[in-house]
Amino acid sequence: MLIVTGGAGFIGSNIVVALEERGETDIVVVDRLRDGIKWKNIAKRNLRDIVHPDDLPAFLEAHNNDVDAIFHMGAISATTERDADKIVQNNYKLTTWLWEWCARHSSRLIYASSAATYGDGKQGFDDSFDQADLAKLAPLNAYGWSKHATDRRFRTILDQNGFRPKQWAGLKFFNVYGPNEYHKGGMRSVVSQMFDKLSAGETATLFKSHHPDYEDGGQLRDFVWVGDVVDIIMWLYDNPQVSDLFNVGTGKARSFKDLALSVFSAIGKEPDIQYVPTPESIRDKYQYFTEANMAKLRARGYGANMTPLEEGVRQYIQDYLVTEDPFR
């Protein structure tokens, strides 16, 4: 049995697709579907079960000898969430409990950390799992802190030679884009939001730069195609001897202007971009550069090429967003 928490979410549902395409039949999705369109992310899948997160402990205890791996993508991922108690319960507590459960039952755990753990980026973007290096990082919001606290807890367990899953991997996702993110509203990728604006006849907008080293729209991010993210996760699943904390990005920062131009190209329109001031509420904490150092994952044996930004945006728009059914 393979369990995907957050399996009806963005990255989680793409993992479910990949597992099904590999011929897996015992796939369990753990998620809250609520009353939106999230259910459509798994509507085409052949699943063994769909479990509400509140029922997960009982479900696991009922199948404690059957679970090969848990892909733990479930979390409160909104960087704007202010209820820190809620974030701790859903992100830190659940992930550390799953670590202990997998350790007790010889299961594997691949869990979502986040590039938000790097804070303002002044300490760089190296995925060192050394305790001293982790201690230098200062996340800017409760979401990033909850992921960072989880990583640090696991490092301590390992340093103390405590129980650990048969295989474990923490993944620091950078700016992921691709199909099945439509339920995320304002947390969707810039590609999705810009496509909607242009389709509605509106003008594309990007933030002006308030930093002397960057032109308007020249702010840089590591934009990574969700297909590449899932390929990395499947590679880890196929290589159970690999355990560590890894960045998941392309390793090459690109500008928001590059991203916008890719969108215009994919829909066949001439570029027309308006630059608006960055809101003062986030201006002081705004990041102008993120770029995943992918050297550790490469050194451990992952050799696949990452999808260039222009190609990823083209696939996303032409294979999904412009179609009648954009869901995988």
Side-chain angles (χ1 to χ4, degrees):
M1 185 187 298
L2 300 171
I3 295 176
V4 185
T5 74
F10 172 31
I11 296 175
S13 65
N14 279 277
I15 292 172
V16 173
V17 172
L19 292 173
E20 188 176 310
E21 288 177 343
R22 290 159 62 100
E24 301 290 351
T25 56
D26 284 348
I27 305 170
V28 177
V29 164
V30 180
D31 215 329
R32 292 179 172 85
L33 300 180
R34 298 191 173 93
D35 60 355
I37 63 170
K38 202 174 179 182
W39 65 273
K40 293 186 178 182
N41 287 344
I42 54 172
K44 301 172 188 176
R45 308 280 69 83
N46 182 16
L47 303 171
R48 171 167 174 165
D49 208 344
I50 303 168
V51 178
H52 190 279
D54 292 346
D55 300 326
L56 179 58
F59 181 86
L60 286 176
E61 289 308 315
H63 299 88
N64 56 23
N65 294 317
D66 304 328
V67 179
D68 177 25
I70 298 177
F71 302 87
H72 180 43
M73 302 293 117
I76 293 175
S77 58
T79 57
T80 54
E81 175 61 57
R82 295 291 183 263
D83 188 339
D85 292 321
K86 182 179 178 182
I87 289 174
V88 166
Q89 195 64 36
N90 284 272
N91 294 4
Y92 178 81
K93 292 282 191 181
L94 178 57
T95 310
T96 53
W97 183 84
L98 285 173
W99 173 285
E100 294 171 0
W101 191 92
C102 289
R104 291 199 311 271
H105 297 94
S106 297
S107 299
R108 300 194 268 164
L109 178 67
I110 297 174
Y111 73 93
S113 182
S114 174
T117 58
Y118 291 116
D120 61 12
K122 291 179 180 177
Q123 297 297 325
F125 301 94
D126 297 332
D127 48 359
S128 169
F129 205 30
D130 179 80
Q131 195 72 265
D133 291 332
L134 290 174
K136 296 175 184 177
L137 302 182
L140 299 176
N141 50 58
Y143 162 71
W145 164 73
S146 70
K147 294 294 188 177
H148 185 51
T150 303
D151 295 337
R152 295 189 72 183
R153 177 58 189 157
F154 293 163
R155 178 68 268 174
T156 298
I157 291 172
L158 294 168
D159 287 345
Q160 295 175 346
N161 201 29
F163 289 114
R164 78 277 311 270
K166 185 165 60 174
Q167 178 194 19
W168 58 269
L171 305 178
K172 294 195 173 195
F173 298 124
F174 278 68
N175 292 67
V176 187
Y177 65 94
N180 289 13
E181 62 170 328
Y182 319 118
H183 62 285
K184 292 167 66 72
M187 297 299 293
R188 287 176 298 149
S189 69
V190 175
V191 180
S192 178
Q193 296 189 53
M194 185 171 291
F195 174 83
D196 284 353
K197 292 188 72 172
L198 295 177
S199 298
E202 300 176 24
T203 302
T205 58
L206 294 175
F207 286 152
K208 288 182 177 180
S209 172
H210 302 274
H211 190 296
D213 295 338
Y214 296 84
E215 65 177 5
D216 292 344
Q219 303 92 326
L220 298 167
R221 292 286 184 278
D222 194 329
F223 301 107
V224 56
W225 170 239
V226 71
D228 292 339
V229 170
V230 173
D231 285 347
I232 289 171
I233 293 170
M234 292 300 102
W235 179 83
L236 285 165
Y237 180 61
D238 288 336
N239 289 272
Q241 77 282 3
V242 178
S243 292
D244 213 323
L245 182 67
F246 296 108
N247 281 335
V248 178
T250 65
K252 181 174 177 58
R254 299 291 300 276
S255 72
F256 280 99
K257 185 176 181 179
D258 288 340
L259 185 77
L261 293 176
S262 298
V263 173
F264 279 106
S265 176
I267 63 177
K269 286 189 175 182
E270 288 297 316
D272 181 18
I273 305 170
Q274 178 182 357
Y275 296 99
V276 299
T278 304
E280 291 189 10
S281 60
I282 64 171
R283 193 175 299 177
D284 291 343
K285 295 181 179 180
Y286 188 80
Q287 287 181 295
Y288 280 80
F289 175 84
T290 67
E291 183 178 85
N293 182 344
M294 298 296 290
K296 186 199 288 186
L297 186 67
R298 296 298 191 187
R300 300 298 289 274
Y302 185 74
N305 293 327
M306 307 303 287
T307 303
L309 178 64
E310 291 78 6
E311 174 59 18
V313 171
R314 186 201 65 76
Q315 285 188 52
Y316 187 14
I317 290 176
Q318 296 182 4
D319 295 349
Y320 297 98
L321 293 181
V322 300
T323 68
E324 292 184 4
D325 180 6
F327 295 89
R328 291 199 72 192

